[in-house]
Amino acid sequence: MANRSNLAVQCCRCRNKHTEADREPRPHRSISCVSELVCPRCGCTSYYDITPWYAWCWASGLIEMGPTKPGDSPDGAGAIVIARGGKAHLEAVMQAVARHGQGASEGKLLVPGVPEADLIGRDPVDVLREFVDWCAQSNGRRHRHGVVFGTQVEG
Ligand SMILES: [Zn+2]
């Protein structure tokens, strides 16, 4: 199991990747007797959590993220993994490409077009695939920070 010391992190300033245990204590600038953990390369205090995470989608179009894909729901429907990446970057990219739910879905992320696919006579799986293919066109681009879209990214 992951604990604080082997948490994978990336420096916000110099992009150095290391673990929480590699970070070096340094006396805090304004509070005496307190030390803060800094990047071993540049001394910056800010970092991203880059624990490997996945994003998956349910038949309803709901997108969820976490370290492992959940099992099938009680009715037998399974989630489809659509992307992977470091936690902080995956969350940021998903916020940018997904639809933000309104009303009852407030605060949730949805795959555009999937919730209403049935209403317009489209197969939700086709709509999902088009969305993932569209997102995958930017795989490997710098602004994606290693987040990769695809339905074969699991494992
Ligand atoms: Zn750094």
Side-chain angles (χ1 to χ4, degrees), residues 113 116-122 127:
E116 61 278 0
D118 286 338
L119 297 174
I120 56 170
R122 293 213 55 200
V127 177

Side-chain angles (χ1 to χ4, degrees), residues 11-16 18 23 39-44 46:
C11 176
C12 290
R13 188 161 71 188
C14 76
R15 308 272 172 204
N16 183 242
H18 48 275
R23 296 177 69 75
C39 171
R41 189 158 90 183
C42 76
C44 181
S46 304

Side-chain angles (χ1 to χ4, degrees), residues 21-84:
D22 296 328
R23 296 177 69 75
E24 293 169 355
R26 187 186 68 180
H28 195 280
R29 267 167 297 192
S30 51
I31 311 167
S32 54
C33 300
V34 172
S35 64
E36 54 192 353
L37 294 172
V38 301
C39 171
R41 189 158 90 183
C42 76
C44 181
T45 56
S46 304
Y47 61 86
Y48 300 111
D49 179 347
I50 56 164
T51 302
W53 263 35
Y54 294 96
W56 53 84
C57 170
W58 295 96
S60 61
L62 175 68
I63 296 169
E64 293 179 333
M65 289 174 269
T68 52
K69 187 186 101 164
D72 291 349
S73 65
D75 64 7
I80 300 171
V81 171
I82 58 172
R84 68 172 153 77

Side-chain angles (χ1 to χ4, degrees), residues 2-23:
N3 57 44
R4 273 317 273 179
S5 66
N6 63 19
L7 184 72
V9 303
Q10 181 175 24
C11 176
C12 290
R13 188 161 71 188
C14 76
R15 308 272 172 204
N16 183 242
K17 290 180 182 176
H18 48 275
T19 68
E20 184 92 295
D22 296 328
R23 296 177 69 75

